Amino acid sequence: MAIDFTFPPEIDALRLKVREFVETVVRPAEAVIAERDGDRRFMIEQILEMRAAAKAWGLWLPHMPAEFGGMGLGHVAMASVSAEAAKSGFGPFALNAQAPDEGNMHTLLHWATDEQKERYLRPLCEGRIRSCFAMTEPEVAGSDPTLIQTRGVLEGDEWVVNGHKWFISGARGAGFAILIARTEDEPEIPQAGNSAFLVDLPSEGWTVVRDVKTMSGSHNHCEIRIENLRISRDRMLGGRGQGHLLGQARLGPARLAHCMRWIGQAEIALDMMVDRALTRFAHGSYLAEKQGIQWMIADSTMELYQCKLMVLHAAFKVDRGDDFRSEVSMTKHFVANALGRIVDRAIQVHGALGYSTDTPLASMAQHARWARFADGADEVHQWRIAQRAIDAYRKHGSTRVATGDLPL
Ligand SMILES: Cc1cc2nc3c(=O)[nH]c(=O)nc-3n(C[C@H](O)[C@H](O)[C@H](O)COP(=O)(O)OP(=O)(O)OC[C@H]3O[C@@H](n4cnc5c(N)ncnc54)[C@H](O)[C@@H]3O)c2cc1C
């Protein structure tokens, strides 16, 4: 049989090594960062120390090819590394595999010219700079990139760009941005109106207005004003009108990378739920002995199992170069929602403690909320998933290919 759910021994050893790295290097650093809450400089120093340790442990840049100093792992292998690393919020940063840089690295690897790769991708891979991806705008629905109003006009050898962006993760302190702007007046199809640009930061005409404060605090998701920003012609990434294509190509694996990290978070929540249920005593027995609690544990266990299978299958399709859009959409929707439900049940089992900030659950619940609309809102994924199922039925008289095209 061709289906084998075991990993090669070296990948399994790597997964365990990442687990040990998180326990021995990342967790202690996370604890001292928490003690000095709000001291950003100290946090950055700690991340740099974790990064030096990741290099020494041979865990640096798992998702990039050796040519750029990485470990060259495919998406399936990355699933096991990312899920382990993300058991601490700082794990992915330590390995230099955090959003949005991870997605930007993949984008540059596939779309940048050799000169652009040397200038932007290499320092990003070496951890010398960070990056951001600037697409969403306050005035129009981010779910529909054909509405983008930021405008680029070619003047001689330079593009002059004006516009407004927000929720641009990592913008403050980034060395460059991948900026999406409208450049085409009458594209053949509405999706071909946007182009992508590489913007050196800081740049005249690019102003960070504020760090948008969210329900989980301020995490460098910035509002940006773009006024007469001049970008040299050779800083276009991909061709004219290919901004949407590039965004879609970027978002597939980037969404999956989110799911891998969310699995790490969901597993922490389920472990905590079971641990608490085994030690909390009420009404004559431990919580773990009560059917109502067992149902919560069972539902969470089944959902996490589904998350893992879906991520592995979608990653398998990405690695094979198959069309992965449907599988990534279904996976992103399912894992984002499962994460919210599992964390919420863990809070319920912890009672008041779960609602407090004495455990990481409250913070995990706040972070889990954005998973349902960022990088593709639930309803947009559902719309696409339904479309593909309907198309499959029309074409083949069966929805089978739309359900993962599995041999069942
Ligand atoms: C923490 C965080 C980090 C982010 N980082 C970045 C970043 O680095 N770069 C960047 O460019 N953007 C970033 N974003 C923005 C994110 O990508 C957008 O929030 C997302 O694309 C949705 O766009 P929107 O917020 O404008 O919502 P809208 O597009 O206005 O959608 C609002 C709601 O409308 C509904 N909806 C939309 N379309 C449909 C439909 N067709 N059918 C039914 N219902 C629909 C959905 O319920 C959706 O949630 C980030 C957001 C967050 C919260």
Side-chain angles (χ1 to χ4, degrees):
M1 287 289 289
I3 297 175
D4 180 354
F5 285 99
T6 57
F7 278 174
E10 65 276 14
I11 298 298
D12 217 34
L14 184 60
R15 182 176 67 82
L16 295 174
K17 193 171 177 185
V18 174
R19 178 177 291 188
E20 192 189 344
F21 177 76
V22 169
E23 284 307 319
T24 56
V25 176
V26 181
R27 287 255 178 256
E30 185 183 49
V32 292
I33 291 169
E35 275 169 26
R36 289 173 60 171
D37 188 25
D39 188 341
R40 192 170 161 75
R41 183 183 291 264
F42 181 72
M43 182 185 79
I44 291 169
E45 281 167 17
Q46 288 296 313
I47 290 176
L48 292 178
E49 281 183 26
M50 285 186 250
R51 288 184 157 200
K55 284 179 184 160
W57 280 58
L59 295 175
W60 182 250
L61 205 64
H63 56 291
M64 279 288 114
E67 182 194 351
F68 287 94
M71 296 164 65
L73 299 186
H75 291 83
V76 172
M78 266 311 282
S80 66
V81 167
S82 282
E84 285 301 337
K87 287 186 176 168
S88 159
F90 290 103
F93 284 90
L95 309 188
N96 197 13
Q98 69 286 344
D101 295 315
E102 184 190 31
N104 288 348
M105 288 178 202
H106 281 303
T107 307
L108 290 168
L109 191 65
H110 289 101
W111 291 80
T113 62
D114 287 346
E115 191 267 334
Q116 289 171 341
K117 280 181 190 164
E118 284 309 312
R119 185 177 171 121
Y120 299 100
L121 179 57
R122 193 166 295 285
L124 193 57
C125 289
E126 289 171 355
R128 288 191 279 123
I129 56 170
R130 289 190 297 97
S131 64
C132 61
F133 187 82
M135 184 155 100
T136 307
E137 303 181 351
E139 293 83 7
V140 290
S143 303
D144 184 354
T146 65
L147 302 175
I148 283 176
Q149 291 180 351
T150 295
R151 191 87 175 86
V153 177
L154 191 59
E155 283 184 13
D157 270 346
E158 284 182 328
W159 287 91
V160 181
V161 184
N162 283 281
H164 191 194
K165 301 283 179 186
W166 80 338
F167 273 93
I168 307 311
S169 303
R172 203 183 287 280
F176 72 93
I178 298 177
L179 169 66
I180 305 293
R182 187 170 182 87
T183 54
E184 311 306 308
D185 283 327
E186 288 172 6
E188 272 181 28
I189 50 166
Q191 290 86 343
N194 300 328
S195 302
F197 296 95
L198 289 159
V199 181
D200 291 299
L201 296 177
S203 257
E204 201 178 321
W206 172 283
T207 308
V208 177
V209 179
R210 64 178 172 136
D211 183 347
V212 182
K213 199 167 177 185
T214 71
M215 64 191 271
S216 68
S218 300
H219 301 287
N220 205 358
H221 305 299
C222 298
E223 179 181 348
I224 312 288
R225 277 271 172 214
I226 301 169
E227 290 160 313
N228 294 323
L229 172 71
R230 303 190 85 85
I231 307 171
S232 155
R233 207 174 175 162
D234 61 1
R235 292 287 169 265
M236 184 176 272
L237 181 60
R240 280 182 75 148
Q242 290 192 329
H244 184 74
L245 214 58
L246 179 141
Q248 288 305 306
R250 174 188 185 278
L251 277 174
R255 283 172 179 144
L256 202 55
H258 275 317
C259 295
M260 295 168 188
R261 292 186 281 263
W262 294 336
I263 282 177
Q265 291 286 295
E267 195 159 280
I268 292 271
L270 179 55
D271 286 352
M272 289 179 69
M273 193 190 310
V274 174
D275 190 65
R276 185 71 175 173
L278 284 169
T279 51
R280 195 69 164 171
F281 187 89
H283 306 293
S285 65
Y286 286 100
L287 295 184
E289 293 164 51
K290 298 181 191 302
Q291 197 176 41
I293 301 295
Q294 289 168 355
W295 285 349
M296 282 196 258
I297 294 171
D299 288 348
S300 303
T301 305
M302 289 187 286
E303 286 173 11
L304 186 50
Y305 176 46
Q306 282 168 278
C307 291
K308 290 180 179 182
L309 287 176
M310 290 177 90
V311 163
L312 286 175
H313 183 238
F316 163 82
K317 293 202 92 160
V318 178
D319 276 347
R320 278 184 18 140
D322 291 350
D323 182 353
F324 54 76
R325 285 172 301 174
S326 242
E327 288 71 20
V328 169
S329 260
M330 291 190 281
T331 304
K332 196 269 172 179
H333 182 287
F334 188 83
V335 181
N337 282 273
L339 173 68
R341 289 192 295 266
I342 295 171
V343 171
D344 189 67
R345 291 184 198 117
I347 290 175
Q348 186 69 12
V349 172
H350 280 73
L353 175 63
Y355 191 66
S356 77
T357 54
D358 286 1
T359 81
L361 290 170
S363 159
M364 284 161 68
Q366 287 166 330
H367 282 94
R369 190 61 190 83
W370 65 256
R372 290 189 45 216
F373 57 83
D375 280 0
D378 278 358
E379 295 78 5
V380 177
H381 285 298
Q382 284 168 299
W383 166 35
R384 297 290 186 210
I385 293 162
Q387 250 182 355
R388 291 190 186 109
I390 293 165
D391 286 352
Y393 187 80
R394 283 205 176 112
K395 199 167 165 191
H396 307 289
S398 160
T399 54
R400 198 195 67 86
V401 292
T403 55
D405 200 12
L406 291 160
L408 292 175

